[in-house]
Amino acid sequence: METIVEITNLSKEFKGKKAVEDVSFSIQSGEVVAILGPNGAGKSTSILMMLGLLHPSSGEVSLFNQRPQEQKVRERIGVMLQQVSLMDALKVKEVLALFRTYYPNPLSMEELIRLTGLQESELNKRTEKLSGGQKRRVSFALAMAGNPDLVFFDEPTVGMDSTARKEFWARVRQLADAGKTVLFSTHYLQEADDVATRILLFNEGKLVADGCPSTIKQQLLKKTVSFKAGGDFPKERFLTMTHVSDVYEEKGRVVIQTEDTDHVLASLFTEGTPVSDISIDKGRLEDAFEQLTVEQGVS
Ligand SMILES: Nc1ncnc2c1ncn2[C@@H]1O[C@H](COP(=O)(O)OP(=O)(O)OP(=O)(O)O)[C@@H](O)[C@H]1O
Ligand SMILES: [Mg+2]
């Protein structure tokens, strides 16, 4: 398999503040990778550096084993940035036609028009007259203009309604089926889980986890066993158990955070701990994500 993206010890500082810190990973052809992280995690900064639009403070980026600025590389990538900016003075059709001329093997005009999902009358409108959602669709079509092998989408679905969102992800799946390599950023865990084959979890400029969605979920999801304790609960003893990550009290109940709820239940019974009203909670990804960002000190 061909290595499409290779990032080595990439860092970016803005006025002494680290936006991206010592990030390394590589992406193989055909992967659909989500860069997942909260606001300010360093997603856009990383993407801009991968595209060669922002100079790294240190570290290396290579796309298709070349520098991202090379013309040969540019011809093979498509980009939808977080801030959509289209050329205001031009009609939609004209922008599409112009972008086709930038690439050696562009998609047909018909295909590009189809990708915008716009009607003939709208295609003759100047781009500044489009709604936010329509602009995003044009921006998507422009990203696809050169029939790219590698595409970057930075927060692509922000501002899209749920129909547009579904359509967008259906198109991304088609790209993946056609063997394209896709890299997108999002703060929606659900999107990353639904669409990506791999998640790069960013927080405070650092890559904090890298793996397939199910592995990342397993790492993130904290299951709990909670109950009412019939006396003094031997908190310390449970805290020392290997699969227990935390024990705390909440709303008059003892909560044991664990990756192995069966084991905790067995321990409760073998220790003869007087407990009642036991409940097992599998944990929600959203909660886990919040917890992770709190733990990492993001406010
Ligand atoms: N041009 C810039 N000048 C100064 N600081 C910047 C600049 N661009 C980004 N930053 C800072 O770098 C950090 C990472 O920003 P970045 O835009 O990469 O985050 P993000 O993960 O894309 O967030 P969001 O989800 O809000 O888009 C933030 O603290 C941000 O304030
Ligand atoms: Mg961003």
Side-chain angles (χ1 to χ4, degrees), residues 12 14-15 17-20 37-46 48 54 82 154-155 185-187 202 205:
K12 180 71 187 177
F14 292 109
K15 296 186 185 134
K17 192 182 167 295
K18 285 178 175 146
V20 173
N39 287 136
K43 305 183 295 293
S44 295
T45 306
S46 301
L48 291 172
L54 192 65
Q82 192 164 2
D154 194 359
E155 309 263 0
S185 77
T186 180
H187 10 118
F202 271 64

Side-chain angles (χ1 to χ4, degrees), residues 277-293:
D277 194 18
I278 298 176
S279 140
I280 295 172
D281 190 345
K282 288 220 175 95
R284 293 188 322 132
L285 212 49
E286 275 73 13
D287 295 341
F289 196 55
E290 221 165 76
Q291 196 152 13
L292 176 108
T293 55

Side-chain angles (χ1 to χ4, degrees), residues 260-272:
D260 188 349
T261 51
D262 289 345
H263 206 287
V264 167
L265 283 177
S267 304
L268 282 173
F269 291 122
T270 51
E271 301 245 341

Side-chain angles (χ1 to χ4, degrees), residues 142-252:
L142 295 180
M144 302 315 300
N147 194 16
D149 296 318
L150 167 65
V151 284
F152 292 87
F153 300 125
D154 194 359
E155 309 263 0
T157 58
V158 168
M160 286 186 190
D161 61 28
S162 66
T163 314
R165 226 167 247 231
K166 271 194 203 124
E167 260 180 46
F168 176 80
W169 290 121
R171 290 209 163 116
V172 171
R173 287 203 182 87
Q174 284 169 9
L175 292 178
D177 290 345
K180 313 277 188 188
T181 308
V182 180
L183 222 148
F184 68 93
S185 77
T186 180
H187 10 118
Y188 300 115
L189 293 156
Q190 201 57 53
E191 285 189 347
D193 191 25
D194 286 348
V195 189
T197 54
R198 176 176 167 197
I199 294 177
L200 302 174
L201 185 64
F202 271 64
N203 196 27
E204 293 210 310
K206 296 198 190 89
L207 179 61
V208 292
D210 173 358
C212 68
S214 61
T215 311
I216 299 279
K217 266 204 313 198
Q218 227 167 24
Q219 278 178 17
L220 281 175
L221 282 182
K222 293 200 172 134
K223 290 179 272 191
T224 59
V225 178
S226 72
F227 45 81
K228 288 182 187 147
D232 265 351
F233 182 74
K235 183 178 168 184
E236 298 307 322
R237 198 152 67 240
F238 278 82
L239 266 175
T240 55
M241 295 175 181
T242 47
H243 46 270
V244 170
S245 52
D246 201 6
V247 180
Y248 54 91
E249 273 196 46
E250 196 176 74
K251 295 176 191 153

